[in-house]
């Protein structure tokens, strides 16, 4: 079994409870900032990608709350907060 598959299986054990609002958002007007692209290869949950028009897209379901995107992109382009109480990731180690 490959390391990538093993990682995907372990991440699959985690449980995510979405909040009413996404806890991480691209700031309005910053959608084309090149700093956003830094998170694509670095987000451990693979939540950043490029859409058909080459813009960075973000889905927060599955976020591990590690803060990597906050550090590499910066708070000038990302609004970053922990999920509201009772929401977010629940880690389960297998
Ligand atoms: S906090 Fe971590 S897991 Fe969540 S979106 Fe940012 S880099 Fe990905």
């Amino acid at each position: 079994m490959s390391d990538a598959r093993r990682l995907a299986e372990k991440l699959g054990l985690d449980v995510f409870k979405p909040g009413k609002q996404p806890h991480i958002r691209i700031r309005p007007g910053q959608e084309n900032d090149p700093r956003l692209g830094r998170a694509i290869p670095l987000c451990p949950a693979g939540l950043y990608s490029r859409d058909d028009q080459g813009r960075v897209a973000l889905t927060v379901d599955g976020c591990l709350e590690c803060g990597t995107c906050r550090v590499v992109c910066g708070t000038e382009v990302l609004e970053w907060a922990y999920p509201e109480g009772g929401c977010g990731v629940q880690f389960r180690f297998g």
Side-chain angles (χ1 to χ4, degrees):
M1 186 183 303
S2 72
D3 287 345
R5 187 164 169 202
R6 229 175 277 143
L7 175 61
E9 285 185 5
K10 289 193 175 199
L11 288 173
L13 297 173
D14 296 334
V15 175
F16 302 94
K17 184 177 175 192
K20 291 183 190 124
Q21 301 290 330
H23 64 283
I24 305 171
R25 281 190 278 216
I26 297 169
R27 290 189 184 277
Q30 302 298 317
E31 295 84 357
N32 293 319
D33 192 293
R35 288 175 284 185
L36 290 169
R38 297 172 184 167
I40 296 172
L42 295 177
C43 171
L47 300 180
Y48 287 82
S49 60
R50 289 204 187 271
D51 65 17
D52 295 343
Q53 295 162 353
R55 294 195 313 185
V56 174
L58 162 65
T59 308
V60 294
D61 285 354
C63 175
L64 302 172
E65 302 168 28
C66 67
T68 301
C69 58
R70 184 178 193 271
V71 172
V72 299
C73 299
T75 53
E76 299 86 7
V77 293
L78 284 182
E79 289 178 12
W80 199 104
Y82 285 107
E84 59 197 270
C87 297
V89 66
Q90 182 181 39
F91 292 105
R92 293 187 176 169
F93 298 98

